[in-house]
Amino acid sequence: MKLYAPVQRQLSAYCRVITRSEEEALDLVQETLTKAFESFDTLREPSAFQFFLIGIARNCYRKQQRRSKFFGKPTEVKAVNVEVAPDSVEMQHDVQLIRECISRLNAEQREVILLFHILGFSIKEIAVNMNITEAAVKNRLARGREKLRKLLSDNESILTHRISANPIKTLTK
């Protein structure tokens, strides 16, 4: 529990991002902790506990995804990813838009974007954790950022078009 307390929020945020559902994220955290407890003796380095948990969560999620291809997935997808306490209505809208755009990335890009930008891992740490090369991490980051830029600019142009198509009418006597 001493190892888990400092990484609890990051694991929870990671699970919410990859599942895109609050309920599924809670289930994934529970399953991850159960498996981590069962295989705790395989942890070589206590300083790598966060990667240990994220690796277990990733493997559990992938297993669920493989099973859902055969048995279906009856859950509702929500855009709840990372805990944010926005200050204004505009900020809430921006956060929701970013969440939706991140959810439209492919799983590899979404995971690398999350680990690097939201959880703050280095490229080297991500490469080791995901068992891929640093070049692959950089490639996924670059492609994910580019796709996010495109998705966000497309959404901005749609909003601008809606606003300009509906001019505000003033009341006159």
Side-chain angles (χ1 to χ4, degrees):
M1 289 311 289
K2 289 179 184 178
L3 292 174
Y4 178 62
V7 299
Q8 181 178 1
R9 290 180 58 99
Q10 288 94 350
L11 176 65
S12 179
Y14 176 79
C15 291
R16 279 194 304 278
V17 169
I18 63 173
T19 62
R20 293 177 271 175
S21 165
E22 188 70 26
E23 293 83 18
E24 285 184 39
L26 292 172
D27 291 342
L28 183 58
V29 167
Q30 185 73 23
E31 184 177 356
T32 300
L33 293 176
T34 301
K35 295 221 185 267
F37 183 74
E38 291 171 354
S39 60
F40 189 75
D41 57 333
T42 64
L43 178 64
R44 290 180 233 131
E45 198 56 44
S47 62
F49 187 66
Q50 187 172 13
F51 283 122
F52 178 69
L53 288 178
I54 288 175
I56 292 172
R58 183 184 330 106
N59 292 338
C60 289
Y61 180 71
R62 287 180 180 164
K63 184 177 179 181
Q64 290 173 0
Q65 292 302 301
R66 283 191 302 270
R67 286 183 178 173
S68 71
K69 289 179 183 177
F70 296 106
F71 302 111
K73 193 172 185 180
T75 60
E76 176 187 34
V77 175
K78 292 183 180 179
V80 177
N81 295 332
V82 179
E83 293 178 21
V84 176
D87 295 335
S88 67
V89 174
E90 293 86 10
M91 180 66 85
Q92 288 176 357
H93 175 62
D94 291 346
V95 168
Q96 182 64 28
L97 182 62
I98 291 169
R99 285 178 176 166
E100 289 173 10
C101 290
I102 288 175
S103 73
R104 293 173 61 189
L105 296 175
N106 69 39
E108 293 172 341
Q109 292 170 350
R110 185 174 51 246
E111 186 169 13
V112 170
I113 294 274
L114 165 71
L115 291 172
F116 186 77
H117 288 291
I118 297 178
L119 297 180
F121 290 118
S122 70
I123 290 173
K124 186 175 184 175
E125 291 172 325
I126 295 169
V128 169
N129 182 32
M130 295 182 71
N131 199 23
I132 58 176
T133 64
E134 289 183 34
V137 172
K138 291 176 184 178
N139 189 357
R140 291 176 187 181
L141 273 172
R143 289 182 180 171
R145 288 174 185 147
E146 185 58 37
K147 188 167 182 181
L148 275 176
R149 263 188 226 103
K150 183 176 178 357
L151 290 170
L152 289 169
S153 67
D154 288 350
N155 280 320
E156 186 177 322
S157 65
I158 289 169
L159 289 173
T160 304
H161 176 71
R162 283 185 196 159
I163 291 170
S164 63
N166 297 318
I168 299 174
K169 296 179 182 178
T170 57
L171 296 175
T172 59
K173 290 187 178 186

Short mmCIF file of all heavy atoms in Angstrom, two decimals, residues 17 51 101 139:
data_model
loop_
_atom_site.label_atom_id
_atom_site.label_comp_id
_atom_site.label_asym_id
_atom_site.label_seq_id
_atom_site.Cartn_x
_atom_site.Cartn_y
_atom_site.Cartn_z
N VAL A 17 -8.46 6.82 -19.34
CA VAL A 17 -8.13 7.20 -20.71
C VAL A 17 -8.24 6.00 -21.65
O VAL A 17 -8.82 6.10 -22.72
CB VAL A 17 -6.74 7.84 -20.81
CG1 VAL A 17 -6.29 7.99 -22.25
CG2 VAL A 17 -6.76 9.21 -20.14
N PHE A 51 5.27 1.59 -13.28
CA PHE A 51 5.32 0.90 -14.57
C PHE A 51 4.76 -0.51 -14.45
O PHE A 51 4.12 -1.02 -15.35
CB PHE A 51 6.75 0.84 -15.10
CG PHE A 51 7.21 2.13 -15.69
CD1 PHE A 51 8.34 2.76 -15.19
CD2 PHE A 51 6.53 2.72 -16.74
CE1 PHE A 51 8.78 3.95 -15.73
CE2 PHE A 51 6.96 3.90 -17.28
CZ PHE A 51 8.09 4.53 -16.78
N CYS A 101 -11.39 14.38 -28.83
CA CYS A 101 -10.36 14.23 -29.87
C CYS A 101 -9.34 13.17 -29.48
O CYS A 101 -8.93 12.37 -30.32
CB CYS A 101 -9.67 15.57 -30.14
SG CYS A 101 -10.75 16.75 -30.97
N ASN A 139 7.72 8.38 -32.86
CA ASN A 139 6.86 8.32 -34.04
C ASN A 139 5.38 8.39 -33.64
O ASN A 139 4.60 9.15 -34.22
CB ASN A 139 7.16 7.03 -34.81
CG ASN A 139 6.50 6.98 -36.16
OD1 ASN A 139 5.76 7.86 -36.53
ND2 ASN A 139 6.78 5.91 -36.88
#
